Amino acid sequence: MIMQRKILLPAAALTLGLASFTLLHRSSVTAPVEPAADSSPASLADPNTTDEVPQDRKLVIYQMMVRLFGNQKTLNKPHGSAAENGVGKFNDINTKALQELKKLGATHVWYTGILEHATMADYTKIGIPLDDADVVKGRAGSPYAVKDYYDVDPDLAVDPKKRMAEFDALVKRTHDNGLKLLIDFIPNHVARSYKSDAKPAGVVDLGEKDDKTKAFAPNNNFYYLPGKSFVVPKGNDPLGTALKGPKEDQKYQETPAKATGNDVFSEAPKLDDWFETTKLNYGVDYQNGRKTYFSPVPDTWLKMRDILVFWAKKDVDGFRCDVAEMVPVEFWAWVIPEVKKVKPDVIFLGEAYDPKQYKRYLTEGKFDFLYDKVGLYDGLRRLMRNEGSTEDITKVWSQESRGFSSQMLRFLENHDEQRIASKDFAGNTAPAIPAMTVSATLGTGPIMVYFGQEVGEPGRGAEGFGGEDGRTTIFDYWGVPEHQKWVNGGKFDGGKLSQQQQQLRDFYVRLLNLSTSNEAIRKGKFYELQDANNLSKEYDQRKLYSYLRFTDKQRLLVVVNFSPTQTYVPTLQIPEAAWKLMGLDPKRQQFNYTDLLNNRPATNGTRITLAPLSAVVLDITPKP
């Protein structure tokens, strides 16, 4: 649905003659996705802003796939082993690497894939049972098929027997370098082979006391299909036709069969289901009208609380909670305060995709942050592909996250999404300039960067199970080529990056550091300028987007150009109401405009030159 803008007559005019940062570009087109419908409050006199009280929550989260981050091997053989293709270690993330992430602007690192999960790697010599390839995705395995919540992946340790000690050292090293860390919490499902070997004394394992004769029981940890045996999906061939994984014979035994992780209550899930996982039971009887049994507190709730407390006591600063909406909000409402009794400042970040549920998971569920995926990410993706309109951005702040925008995590890449530079997305890195600027400065909430994004990693190559899909694999052992140029043999200095990559990374450094250091971005109010400029022939509001961010002490004007080909030179209009909100009077004052993003000196000009795929962040300062 395309929103109809209220037309306001232009007021005090500004014209800013500034060049802007630009890179080479190429665009691709696919059918746009219609954003979800919503209703907007009509109580405000000025529709270009909100009554939300800004909250300073400007975290910068650097998501790192630990298995890949420090790997320096470059063979990249499809379905290659850890010995052939290499595997990153906890110890690779040394002081130099962490200092460079801090210089990039990161405040937090999300260490992705550290929990022990199902894999085809053989660690039987250290007492870890071998997994069955029939229910493992990829040679390295999916980090979201956890088989021991109380342990870390032995692949990530130099000495697998000392893997937890190496992780503990990484936690300390992260904190010593002025950063905080998040890890995954995967509450909805576990590997079919789940069995904790590392659980503390006295802990009863998941499913250990289940009544398997019942499809559902409030205190069972799993859902069962009594009298039926699990059927491996036809066509499952995790290592391709050339290789066979351990026990890969379509004869995996599970009787009675358990329900599959993506809510499939059948003994025969399909190949595109999450068949390698089993669904955890939080007291919801899905097969009988989703009737709930939350009192007394279900056993699964207690077990998951204990797992979270275990990691919080290891000084983990937060949890990125996988598919949070697939777990009842009542559980989050109970467990998050329980964990915060142990570590009050611990962060809970929920992976969420249903805008209708956002407010409930934030207020009732007590999450600190949720993904802004189907709103801002999807809208920016369309713009980056030369599709869609800036109307999508307006919809996000004015409707979808209205009142709680500071709790929405903005991003352009993560392990689930295609790389910006991939042929499946934008085809190159240039569209990231305006889009990332909006992501970082639109609100006071957190921003996330995926490792390699800052150097234009394109996610190229058919790694194995991951396939050629524009993503960086989470299933396979692999070297990440453009990221490795920044790693530069362990120097972490970008020594092998091209000039264009160095420019791109410098853009991220400038933008992210500006976002965390600038008062107006961290805790300022917001005012959109689209209505004020929609009568201008020089201002194409489908491709240009502009807004103000301001406090009593600092005022910023942000303008971006999403067009891959068109240079615009608009005379920008700022309404009288906006000047008044900023505490400025253009009739009596003159101003300097300094481009903080591109490090350009103050100018007296009042005309903006916006090159294709560019952005400016202008500091508005009254002249003495």
Side-chain angles (χ1 to χ4, degrees), residues 354-579:
D354 184 358
K356 294 179 181 178
Q357 296 294 321
Y358 288 171
K359 193 168 185 178
R360 187 178 181 213
Y361 274 76
L362 290 169
T363 55
E364 183 182 339
K366 296 181 170 55
F367 271 95
D368 296 288
F369 305 107
L370 297 177
Y371 271 34
D372 193 344
K373 195 276 179 188
V374 300
L376 193 63
Y377 169 85
D378 283 353
L380 290 175
R381 178 183 169 98
R382 289 189 287 273
L383 282 162
M384 293 168 75
R385 291 166 59 84
N386 202 24
E387 306 162 359
S389 166
T390 59
E391 296 279 359
D392 289 340
I393 306 173
T394 301
K395 184 178 188 298
V396 169
W397 70 260
S398 66
Q399 298 178 47
E400 195 172 271
S401 60
R402 189 185 189 96
F404 50 84
S405 66
S406 64
Q407 292 180 272
M408 301 304 292
L409 173 76
R410 272 71 193 254
F411 57 86
L412 295 182
E413 286 190 0
N414 63 44
H415 68 277
D416 286 319
E417 307 300 340
Q418 292 168 330
R419 293 286 194 173
I420 295 166
S422 74
K423 59 181 176 58
D424 306 275
F425 189 163
N428 77 113
T429 59
I433 304 302
M436 193 69 195
T437 302
V438 171
S439 293
T441 67
L442 188 69
T444 63
I447 182 74
M448 184 167 72
V449 176
Y450 191 35
F451 86 106
Q453 175 183 341
E454 73 276 26
V455 296
E457 173 59 43
R460 211 175 280 124
E463 307 99 338
F465 189 87
E468 182 80 62
D469 61 1
R471 297 173 178 85
T472 295
T473 180
I474 65 169
F475 305 102
D476 309 285
Y477 300 110
W478 200 250
V480 185
E482 303 310 310
H483 167 71
Q484 288 176 328
K485 293 178 182 178
W486 173 73
V487 172
N488 191 24
K491 295 178 182 178
F492 299 102
D493 63 0
K496 295 182 180 178
L497 296 175
S498 69
Q499 184 178 3
Q500 186 176 0
Q501 288 175 312
Q502 291 172 355
Q503 284 183 311
L504 179 67
R505 194 173 192 280
D506 183 57
F507 161 76
Y508 276 91
V509 169
R510 287 183 276 113
L511 176 64
L512 297 178
N513 280 280
L514 178 63
S515 299
T516 54
S517 64
N518 187 277
E519 178 181 289
I521 298 173
R522 289 188 65 94
K523 56 184 179 182
K525 295 181 180 180
F526 170 88
Y527 195 101
E528 188 186 79
L529 298 176
Q530 298 296 88
D531 279 345
N533 289 278
N534 67 4
L535 298 180
S536 170
K537 293 181 180 179
E538 292 79 23
Y539 192 95
D540 181 353
Q541 66 173 356
R542 297 169 305 165
K543 298 298 181 185
L544 300 183
Y545 192 73
S546 57
Y547 50 95
L548 300 165
R549 296 293 313 282
F550 57 94
T551 64
D552 292 339
K553 298 178 181 178
Q554 194 158 29
R555 297 91 174 174
L556 297 182
L557 169 60
V558 182
V559 193
V560 300
N561 178 10
F562 286 101
S563 172
T565 58
Q566 183 69 42
T567 295
Y568 295 96
V569 190
T571 300
L572 202 75
Q573 308 290 323
I574 294 183
E576 183 178 347
W579 284 113

Side-chain angles (χ1 to χ4, degrees), residues 12 16 31 40 81 126 160 192 195 267 343 428 438 478 503 568 611 613:
L16 307 171
S40 177
S81 66
I126 61 170
R192 291 197 176 272
K195 179 177 173 57
E267 76 279 12
K343 190 177 177 69
N428 77 113
V438 171
W478 200 250
Q503 284 183 311
Y568 295 96
L613 301 173

Side-chain angles (χ1 to χ4, degrees), residues 19-71:
S20 49
F21 182 92
T22 186
L23 292 172
L24 297 175
H25 59 269
R26 186 172 73 246
S27 63
S28 56
V29 178
T30 61
V33 179
E34 188 82 8
D38 202 347
S39 59
S40 177
S43 58
L44 285 175
D46 193 334
N48 300 294
T49 188
T50 75
D51 54 1
E52 180 176 347
V53 178
Q55 301 293 319
D56 184 356
R57 293 177 170 138
K58 187 57 72 176
L59 315 180
V60 176
I61 300 172
Y62 185 89
Q63 185 192 359
M64 174 196 302
M65 187 72 189
V66 177
R67 180 198 295 157
L68 305 177
F69 179 82
N71 180 27

